[in-house]
Amino acid sequence: MTSPRTRNRLINRLAEQGIVATDVLDVMREVPRHIFVDEALAQRAYEDTALPIGHNQTISQPYIVARMTEALMAGGALNKVLEVGTGSGYQTAVLAHLVKQVYSVERIQPLHVKARSRLRRLSLLNAHLKLSDGTMGWPGLAPFDGIMVTAAPGKVPVELLEQLSEDGGRLVIPVGDFHQELLLVVRHGQEFHQEVLELVRFVPMLSGVIR
């Protein structure tokens, strides 16, 4: 299930679907997605599909991980990135291979604990996790060169816009209720340029912490 051929099949599929960033594809070939799902689902880890991780959450479809990562990185190298919604930790691991420092917040404690263990297992020491309400971001560490959100609010949270670097900070976020759009927002000073990337389906962004 973790053979190079199995992984390469997934990467080839992502390329066929339009992912062109070779660094993103190389990292996704390297990161062992099977350790981020329950053992019973490990044999499906390299399918291009979302999988349940408990607590009504999912590990995102690999195509969506690649698409969001590619969009975030398209402006050039990033030093400091905020991820809202650690979940399984898989997206965090992908980012940790591509940017200098990743700061990730998760509101569900059991997921936070599991993700921390998995990232330590991979020796990703540049991934910093926090149990927190993601709707507020991580204001004490702002500004961020990039912010990635893996749950969908009804509208873009002002708090996250304020935590973007004024010099080209990039936000990739799904927005909407039944009809969701994946947005790229780029900040220049006090101006925010918004682009719709594609239609998506994410779990809703909720407030509060679950222990």
Side-chain angles (χ1 to χ4, degrees):
M1 70 181 176
T2 64
S3 69
R5 187 171 73 173
T6 301
R7 296 193 190 197
N8 286 334
R9 186 183 303 120
L10 172 61
I11 299 309
N12 291 338
R13 179 179 174 84
L14 298 181
E16 290 169 359
Q17 293 181 91
I19 304 300
V20 299
T22 55
D23 55 347
V24 174
L25 293 173
D26 288 344
V27 166
M28 291 190 65
R29 181 184 287 109
E30 177 183 347
V31 174
R33 190 172 186 249
H34 63 279
I35 76 168
F36 292 92
V37 298
D38 290 339
E39 188 174 347
L41 293 172
Q43 64 182 359
R44 300 188 59 196
Y46 299 98
E47 296 177 9
D48 188 26
T49 187
L51 295 170
I53 58 172
H55 306 277
N56 296 314
Q57 306 296 304
T58 61
I59 181 173
S60 292
Q61 176 189 1
Y63 168 74
I64 292 296
V65 172
R67 183 75 170 99
M68 294 178 72
T69 305
E70 183 177 61
L72 192 74
M73 302 295 301
L78 302 175
N79 289 321
K80 187 164 66 170
V81 167
L82 170 67
E83 178 191 29
V84 177
T86 313
S88 70
Y90 176 66
Q91 175 73 79
T92 320
V94 170
L95 289 172
H97 281 82
L98 293 165
V99 307
K100 190 172 181 180
Q101 301 291 334
V102 182
Y103 299 89
S104 185
V105 294
E106 172 59 52
R107 62 183 289 270
I108 301 173
Q109 186 175 35
L111 295 182
H112 165 77
V113 171
K114 282 186 178 181
R116 183 184 297 277
S117 175
R118 291 161 174 160
L119 294 168
R120 285 177 177 169
R121 176 178 169 185
L122 295 177
S123 299
L124 294 174
L125 304 181
N126 63 329
H128 313 280
L129 307 190
K130 179 182 180 182
L131 180 66
S132 178
D133 183 337
T135 59
M136 304 305 293
W138 201 328
L141 294 176
F144 296 96
D145 303 315
I147 299 177
M148 180 183 290
V149 182
T150 60
K155 60 181 181 179
V156 179
V158 173
E159 293 82 1
L160 297 184
L161 294 175
E162 292 175 343
Q163 291 174 41
L164 278 176
S165 167
E166 295 185 12
D167 185 22
R170 300 169 73 84
L171 167 65
V172 178
I173 181 171
V175 174
D177 298 315
F178 179 76
H179 175 86
Q180 293 180 4
E181 295 177 331
L182 184 62
L183 303 182
L184 169 65
V185 183
V186 182
R187 181 177 186 179
H188 297 285
Q190 295 307 308
E191 294 186 1
F192 297 87
H193 303 279
Q194 180 174 301
E195 175 186 350
V196 177
L197 300 178
E198 59 184 271
L199 299 180
V200 290
R201 170 55 57 188
F202 278 81
V203 297
M205 177 182 281
L206 302 174
S207 60
V209 172
I210 298 175
R211 297 187 183 273

